[in-house]
Amino acid sequence: MNERIIEKLSILADAAKYDASCSSSGGKRKNENKGLGNAEGMGICHSYTEDGRCVSLLKILLTNHCIFDCAYCVSRKSNDVKRAAFTVQEVVDLTMNFYRRNYIEGLFLSSGIFSSADYTMERLVRIAKKLRLEEKFNGYIHLKTIPGASEELIQEAGLYADRLSVNIELPSDQSLQQLAPEKNYAEILTPMSQIQTSLAANREERELFRKVPQFAPAGQTTQLVVGATPESDHQIIKLADGLYKGYGLKRVYYSGYVPVSGDQRLPQVVQPPLMREHRLYQSDWLMRFYGFDADEILDPAHPHLDLEIDPKLAWALRHRHVFPVDVNTADYELILRVPGIGMKSAKRMVAARRFAPLTLDHLHKFGVVLRRARYFITCRGLALEKREYDEQTVRRKILYGDGQTRSALVKRQLDLFAPEPSIVTAPDLVSPQLDLFRQAS
């Protein structure tokens, strides 16, 4: 690999890191070589399939040149950054060379906009077409669809890519007009609708004719930037709910706003809102898999997600009248709403109780998080937590444990080179670094 290609790869892989919608889940294209890939090399990221396999993708932009001047984007035309662009053949060669070395199993390709949407989209399609037809590449390909591109190019892209995505960018058209005046919701939603229509037509054709080529078998996704505009979490999850129901999206990705400029239209933040992003993903999970409606998670009276606790626990605390739930008699949908009980645990419980009443030992074995669930369930007619606590008491006990208060000291791994032991107080529990990976179950 020559130095110029290495330089381009460094620039365009770094510019691609702000796109969070990089997932290969749902891809069904046959692949004879099932290596796990390798994280070595610029621009290679890990994603996961539906069955849990870890997949390495080459994640790059075709170019970071762009005719648009979106305030939140690092590649906007007014930003003073080093520019680069791959040729079509360079992307094809990079993909094949990395694949043969077992570094990657697929390609995630996005782009700034050269001179027009059609010109850029045509180059993206040519890359996918060359990989499929000339190189016989059967690995995963995710293409970004350029808003404003012609319907013919979008249709052709779906024949060669496993997944297509159109970034909706911001939660409202008003915010889009303020921060990205060259864009509008109509141009973004039109290709989404076209992809949805093509997916539905392809499914019908494949039911009649077995040899019909698949169209974007892994579906379509989108991405929202969170924290760059004043919309509430309720507005964001309502938008996501509408996209799932109206456009059949596989995923909506949320990307915490990363400050990339000093534009006065943007909020001045020290770090991305990682915890807010995490809570939105948890809410999204509740809508897609746990049977929650967007208006159940948040409403005009509660427009923002609680950063201390996950949205499922927050809902349960606001709806204490629904609980306690008897794990031996309640239906599956209600058991799913109990904090500390996930989908796998709920399925195991419903299946097992057909043979014998569930006991506390069963709940432990099924993976129920009793530290949370104990306040919301009964087992064999007995409450695990016999006392009636108010909402704030339950919240405090779940967060800090029995007998502790907000001023209690909380343990933390010590700094190896600290001159003396360091401790943090309970309020620091709300920091993104400590709570980022606490999952909503």
Side-chain angles (χ1 to χ4, degrees), residues 44-166:
I44 297 174
C45 63
H46 283 148
S47 185
Y48 295 87
T49 63
E50 284 182 328
D51 60 3
R53 283 190 310 117
C54 181
V55 178
S56 299
L57 302 177
L58 175 61
K59 182 180 179 182
I60 55 173
L61 299 183
L62 177 61
T63 182
N64 63 344
H65 290 278
C66 194
I67 61 174
F68 291 159
D69 198 30
C70 308
Y72 51 84
C73 182
V74 70
S75 297
R76 68 191 184 282
K77 66 181 180 183
S78 64
N79 202 16
D80 185 18
V81 296
K82 198 168 186 178
R83 307 285 177 172
F86 284 121
T87 65
V88 169
Q89 192 59 47
E90 283 172 346
V91 177
V92 172
D93 291 342
L94 276 173
T95 304
M96 294 309 300
N97 288 336
F98 281 7
Y99 183 80
R100 291 190 180 105
R101 288 167 172 78
N102 200 31
Y103 287 173
I104 63 169
E105 290 183 280
L107 171 67
F108 177 96
L109 183 61
S110 184
S111 181
I113 299 176
F114 282 103
S115 57
S116 69
D118 275 351
Y119 180 79
T120 307
M121 193 69 212
E122 187 271 337
R123 293 168 74 88
L124 296 176
V125 172
R126 278 173 55 199
I127 290 169
K129 189 174 182 178
K130 272 179 166 288
L131 285 168
R132 296 294 190 214
L133 301 184
E134 295 180 16
E135 302 293 341
K136 308 299 181 185
F137 179 68
N138 286 313
Y140 177 83
I141 297 178
H142 181 151
L143 287 185
K144 280 292 177 183
T145 304
I146 307 299
S150 68
E151 186 175 354
E152 291 77 11
L153 283 171
I154 294 172
Q155 183 67 29
E156 190 176 11
L159 297 177
Y160 301 112
D162 293 280
R163 172 166 284 179
L164 299 175
S165 59
V166 190

Side-chain angles (χ1 to χ4, degrees), residues 64 158 180 207 261:
N64 63 344
E207 289 178 0
S261 74

Side-chain angles (χ1 to χ4, degrees), residues 199-219:
L199 285 167
N202 186 252
R203 282 193 294 268
E204 292 177 1
E205 290 178 3
R206 288 181 63 81
E207 289 178 0
L208 298 174
F209 307 103
R210 189 178 300 177
K211 298 289 186 180
V212 173
Q214 284 187 300
F215 179 90

Side-chain angles (χ1 to χ4, degrees), residues 237-254:
I237 65 171
K238 284 286 287 184
L239 173 61
D241 187 50
L243 292 172
Y244 283 128
K245 293 175 178 176
Y247 295 91
L249 267 65
K250 287 285 189 180
R251 287 287 303 273
V252 175
Y253 290 86
Y254 308 93

Side-chain angles (χ1 to χ4, degrees), residues 56 71 120 186 242 254 257 285 383 417 433 437:
S56 299
T120 307
Y254 308 93
Y257 164 65
W285 202 265
F417 300 103
Q433 290 80 2
F437 299 107

Side-chain angles (χ1 to χ4, degrees), residues 8-21:
K8 287 184 181 181
L9 188 57
S10 177
I11 294 170
L12 297 175
D14 184 68
K17 70 184 179 184
Y18 297 102
D19 200 320
S21 57

